[in-house]
Amino acid sequence: MNYNKLVDNVIKRILLLFAAISVITTIAIVFSLLGETVSFFKEVSIVEFFTDTRWTPLLEPKHFGILPLICGTLLITAGASLISIPIGLASAVFLSEYAGNRTRKILKPVLEILAGIPTIVYGYFALVTITPILQRLIPQTNIFNAASASIAVGIMTIPMVASLSEDAMKAVPNALRHGAFAIGSTKFEVVTKIVIPSALSSILASFILAISRAIGETMIVALAAGSTPKLTLNPLESIQTITGYIVQVSMGDTPRGSIESRTIFAAGMVLFMMTLLMNIISMLIVKKFRRVYD
Amino acid sequence: MSLKMKINHLNLHYGDFHALKDVNIDITENAVTALIGPSGCGKSTFIRTLNRMNDLIDNVTITGEISLEGIDIKKCDVIELRKRVGMVFQKPNPFPMSIYENVIYGPKIHGAKDKKVLDAIVEKSLRGAALWEEVKDRLHKPALGLSGGQQQRLCIARVLAVEPEVLLMDEPTSALDPASTLKIEDLMEQLKKEYTVVIVTHNMQQAGRISDFTSFFLNGEIIESDKTENIFYKPRDKRTEDYITGRFG
Ligand SMILES: Nc1ncnc2c1ncn2[C@@H]1O[C@H](COP(=O)(O)OP(=O)(O)O)[C@@H](O)[C@H]1O
Ligand SMILES: [Mg+2]
């Protein structure tokens, strides 16, 4: 008896340790960002950082305005969401409410495969397939452009929206659907007025997750979006995202401790804040729209 | 008393399983028809055929004829049919919305928009389901905050709101406490003045208290259909008598 209790205790502690690793890592990441970010802002004013519209830390004359990178990131995120949210939601509705068992059995694994493709493959796909198509449709499209990367990021995040939203819709009890059918609802009314509203909190959370994923996506944008920080809303131009910039500097030969190398920590901090904001929004949404069924 | 629905030689199969065998019943207008019988004998299956809820289940084959005021329901538009023949289920299934939104769900999908009209429908339906007095001060609170018995009456109100002609109820009180059960039983007396009611119950006392006609189901067949008093006091079939007197089921 006592021996069993001891084993239980030891196991509990080991598991706690593992759980603690992720918490500790998160804290460590924040601190490592923080230290270098503070040093960065000793040399560059925070006002310049957030108001200057040029980002040229590697070129003379140096400018440290993060706006072009934020703009690039948001451009990619908006474009990707335009793809992933409608297509993902439509797929989820189809899988959960319309598809027969056999269709579902084929489609779900396909979605999972889509989710499992390495992002570098999506990056190549954007560069060698999507971009040429875009260039044929609109000749002035740059070889590196935001649209192509957005589309690839969007496709990459479809499975996330589809599968989380489908789970949420499947969790809506059939009794609710039957209640709606029994007073003369069409299938479409059941889906739009009962199923989606009932599952809304998780569906919105899946959107936010896809958006966060797009904000942080690196490989696709590094390959296909270009490396020209630019304050533009034109998706056919070459741009740069925060992540794209961080990769560019990390891969280059910027000396450690220089102002150039510190830019990536400041940029990383902004990225971290953006995804943190998304997480907070997500939590608020889940809380606000949560519906309990029983 | 006129005939509201007529069921002729109805057979239903779930795959190979013969669940309803040559069922024939007349449903009288403005009366309560009770369906009794032991668990698994096909009562739910039968009542679901009356507004074609079985269309939602795969692998069901139905033969025979069900008519509503002389018209074959197979030929009706199913949405129109379910507006005329509404259904309340065994377990209360309010939508995760406010009480008010639950009641106006049906009228709204069928085109009602005007706020005044909707308000009037809400009051009328909730009164019709004997729930108005209890909820009139919290119409915009979540329906799931109601007690089980109140939820079930809300589900009745939700059906009444689309002004059906026939009200189907599948064991509407089996998940409820005795006090709530009593409230719903009392309601039947009111409801049949305006509606035709078909109710499944495995509680024979309940059938005796509230119904005008009773059909006794056994293994997918109707053993006997008659005025309720005849079923209870002068059953023609030995099996009906055995069931009524509690010898099986
Ligand atoms: N969806 C279904 N698929 C297959 N068999 C079913 C289904 N629903 C009910 N049955 C079977 O049909 C018979 C009658 O069931 P049911 O109508 O629910 O009986 P009751 O309501 O009288 O208890 C039972 O044997 C049950 O197992
Ligand atoms: Mg049943």
Side-chain angles (χ1 to χ4, degrees), chain A residues 25-87:
Chain A
T25 317
T26 312
I27 294 171
I29 289 174
V30 173
F31 272 92
S32 79
L33 278 178
L34 213 55
E36 295 280 349
T37 307
V38 168
S39 316
F40 174 80
F41 282 119
K42 280 184 186 143
E43 292 175 58
V44 177
S45 91
I46 203 157
V47 176
E48 181 193 346
F49 188 65
F50 281 113
T51 53
D52 195 326
T53 55
R54 283 156 300 177
W55 180 258
T56 55
L58 308 178
L59 307 167
E60 293 297 339
K62 290 190 195 311
H63 285 281
F64 298 96
I66 190 81
L67 287 178
L69 293 186
I70 294 182
C71 173
T73 299
L74 293 180
L75 197 58
I76 295 287
T77 305
S81 307
L82 239 43
I83 305 261
S84 64
I85 289 177
I87 298 181

Side-chain angles (χ1 to χ4, degrees), chain A residues 7 46 51 70-71 76 79 84 89 97 114 117 143 155 173 180 200 211 229 264 277 290 292:
Chain A
V7 171
I46 203 157
T51 53
I70 294 182
C71 173
I76 295 287
S84 64
L89 183 62
E97 307 297 316
L114 210 56
I117 297 175
I143 170 88
I155 295 172
L200 196 61
I211 292 172
I264 66 172
L277 184 69
R290 161 144 296 156
V292 272

Side-chain angles (χ1 to χ4, degrees), chain B residues 62-82:
Chain B
I62 300 174
T63 62
E65 192 188 71
I66 301 174
S67 58
L68 173 63
E69 293 188 334
I71 295 165
D72 188 347
I73 65 166
K74 271 202 299 282
K75 297 185 182 114
C76 292
D77 172 44
V78 68
I79 302 301
E80 207 51 40
L81 171 70
R82 290 183 190 146

